[in-house]
Amino acid sequence: MVTRILPAVGDADAARSITTLLSQLPDAEPAMPVGDSTQLIDTLARLAGESLDELPEVVLVYERIGPVPALELIREVSLRFPAVGVVLITADATPGLFSAAMDSGARGLVALPLSYEELANRVQAAAQWASGVRRHLGSGGDSAAGPGGVVVTVSGAKGGVGTTVVATQLALAAQASGQSTALVDLDLQTGDIASYLDVQFRRSVADLAAIQDITPRVLQDVVFSHETGISLLLAPSEGERGEEVSDRSVRQTVNSLRSRHAVVVVDCGSQMSTANAAAVEMADTALLVTTPDVVSVRATKRLVRMWTRLQIRKAEETLTVVNRYTRTAEIQPPLIQKITGTRVAGLTVPANFKELQGAVDAGRMHELDAKSTVKQALWGLAGELALVKAAEGPAKQGKFRMDRGAVGVRRRRPRSDDADDGQPRKNS
């Protein structure tokens, strides 16, 4: 049996050494090394999306991989791709590290300098384990070994641009369409999701910070089940407790949620920390909310540049959402796209706070009128992001279940006498 091996090695010299040795292993098919943790996860997610059979049997993780630490990366790979055997390559082959690697989900550890015999034994053992898991998964393996639920982060270019409203409505739209949805508040010091959804709950994301292994029971104790069906993981009511939440705990928490929900929406607020930066880095889609004014657009550009410098997210991998949009604004979406270097969502959110004020003041954002243009735009954005299930049957097209008419988009049928003059026309 051919063993496919994917090395994750950031150091060029180490990559050449490892690749040379792998090429000497019998029945081994080493792939080109990936240079960082983000590239590794993206590669595995792409392969898993095609088929379980496309995944490599073994992933080798070099101890100096970045930007995610090696043990955290191993934990993430093990949770998201359980049919892949992970082996850690390290110069510190102590019992303590071996135990920590096993706790993170590694199937073996190889000490530096590399030994042909040791590497062959560890790769063979990991490959046999991966093959056994895939046989056990059988026909249902694709879904179990895939990337799990979709993670969407919502960040604000600056305070007050509407980040929480966007995150809340995206989660409500996904849940209303039949998707199992979790909404996480990582605006750790000033999170408002509890206020927007009329929730009083003493548990928060800070209660998971010190837990090494988040079991379903632990998660159930901390997550609040909202009346809409959304699973809420709230920010701590004491803002200072936000400092307890580390990037490690965020990665573990988000991975646990995505393994149990089809959609995970994370409100990251407008203040970046190592915790919500970790969420942005691991997200399938990273949204950046801005308003069409000079101050917000400059803040957007500044935040995008910081993400790029810190290797959190590339500009072209970020999707900007324009909130409070008016046709008369001097700064239009194409200009925002040009200035920031990001992609801009096809749907803009209109400026109509009067529609929101009653729901915001009452803390009942989930009861926002279905005729609200703001709600229709945001639920339409959820459709653009593929966070919703398509309605079944011709009678339900254009609408989500449980909220009639909330996202219906009326399209005028073309008339034979219409002239194609390129001018915008009003809906009939």
Side-chain angles (χ1 to χ4, degrees):
M1 181 189 73
V2 175
T3 301
R4 292 164 298 177
I5 307 168
L6 178 59
V9 187
D11 182 79
D13 293 335
R16 282 192 295 269
S17 175
I18 292 171
T19 303
T20 300
L21 201 54
L22 289 176
S23 64
Q24 300 174 16
L25 299 181
D27 299 323
E29 187 180 292
M32 289 295 295
V34 294
D36 57 48
S37 57
T38 302
Q39 189 178 357
L40 174 62
I41 295 298
D42 289 346
T43 300
L44 292 176
R46 175 178 55 79
L47 294 173
E50 296 175 5
S51 169
L52 170 65
D53 295 332
E54 297 298 322
L55 284 169
E57 284 75 24
V58 180
V59 168
L60 299 178
V61 175
Y62 184 57
E63 62 179 350
R64 296 181 183 176
I65 194 73
V68 178
L71 292 181
E72 293 302 321
L73 180 59
I74 291 172
R75 184 185 298 276
E76 184 171 352
V77 171
S78 300
L79 285 171
R80 294 181 62 179
F81 312 99
V84 174
V86 187
V87 176
L88 174 64
I89 300 176
T90 177
D92 181 28
T94 61
L97 180 61
F98 181 84
S99 177
M102 295 303 105
D103 289 341
S104 298
R107 304 309 307 172
L109 184 148
V110 179
L112 291 171
L114 291 177
S115 160
Y116 172 86
E117 183 177 353
E118 184 182 13
L119 181 62
N121 290 338
R122 297 294 176 267
V123 167
Q124 183 181 13
Q128 290 176 348
W129 178 86
S131 299
V133 170
R134 297 180 192 199
R135 285 195 300 269
H136 176 72
L137 292 175
S139 60
D142 285 355
S143 59
V150 175
V151 176
V152 177
T153 56
V154 186
S155 305
K158 56 184 285 295
V161 296
T163 308
T164 302
V165 172
V166 173
T168 301
Q169 289 298 327
L170 290 179
L172 289 169
Q175 181 68 36
S177 75
Q179 299 269 52
S180 171
T181 305
L183 177 58
V184 185
D185 197 343
L186 281 185
D187 189 357
L188 296 172
Q189 293 185 340
T190 57
D192 286 324
I193 286 179
S195 298
Y196 276 42
L197 295 178
D198 192 24
V199 172
Q200 293 182 351
F201 190 59
R202 64 187 182 87
R203 296 289 189 182
S204 75
V205 66
D207 294 301
L208 297 174
I211 297 176
Q212 296 297 322
D213 186 16
I214 300 179
T215 64
R217 177 61 183 273
V218 169
L219 201 62
Q220 182 180 358
D221 290 341
V222 180
V223 169
F224 178 83
S225 297
H226 192 257
E227 61 186 81
T228 59
I230 296 176
S231 298
L232 298 178
L233 184 54
L234 303 172
S237 55
E238 304 86 4
E240 65 273 16
R241 290 201 64 197
E243 297 181 0
E244 301 173 16
V245 183
S246 66
D247 55 340
R248 181 203 61 80
S249 65
V250 167
R251 293 182 189 282
Q252 187 177 6
T253 299
V254 173
N255 277 326
S256 298
L257 288 170
R258 82 187 306 165
S259 68
R260 295 169 176 83
H261 297 83
V263 176
V264 179
V265 180
V266 185
D267 179 0
C268 293
S270 58
Q271 297 294 322
M272 295 306 299
S273 64
T274 56
N276 49 29
V280 172
E281 182 185 356
M282 66 189 300
D284 298 290
T285 302
L287 301 183
L288 189 49
V289 182
T290 189
T291 49
D293 57 82
V294 173
V295 175
S296 293
V297 174
R298 284 178 176 173
T300 302
K301 184 177 181 179
R302 185 167 59 244
L303 184 57
V304 168
R305 285 182 171 179
M306 183 179 72
W307 285 0
T308 302
R309 289 194 306 270
L310 299 179
Q311 299 182 12
I312 296 171
R313 200 90 184 181
K314 296 179 181 178
E316 58 270 22
E317 297 174 351
T318 303
L319 184 66
T320 298
V321 177
V322 182
N323 191 20
R324 300 177 195 151
Y325 170 76
T326 61
R327 292 184 179 180
T328 58
E330 292 187 9
I331 301 179
Q332 293 291 313
L335 180 58
I336 295 175
Q337 179 169 306
K338 182 178 180 180
I339 292 173
T340 63
T342 64
R343 296 177 293 118
V344 173
L347 285 170
T348 56
V349 185
N352 201 337
F353 182 73
K354 289 184 179 180
E355 295 179 353
L356 300 174
Q357 189 166 6
V360 171
D361 291 344
R364 307 289 291 180
M365 184 59 68
H366 50 291
E367 295 179 356
L368 184 62
D369 192 340
K371 296 180 180 179
S372 163
T373 58
V374 175
K375 180 174 181 176
Q376 290 182 11
L378 289 172
W379 284 42
L381 177 62
E384 181 180 331
L385 300 175
L387 302 183
V388 299
K389 284 184 178 179
E392 298 178 0
K396 296 182 180 179
Q397 290 180 356
K399 300 179 182 179
F400 291 166
R401 294 182 297 107
M402 300 169 57
D403 200 347
R404 294 186 302 163
V407 294
V409 179
R410 296 185 179 181
R411 299 185 181 274
R412 185 171 69 95
R413 293 183 179 179
R415 297 190 312 222
S416 59
D417 58 344
D418 280 349
D420 187 9
D421 57 4
Q423 298 298 319
R425 303 182 184 278
K426 294 182 180 180
N427 290 343
S428 57

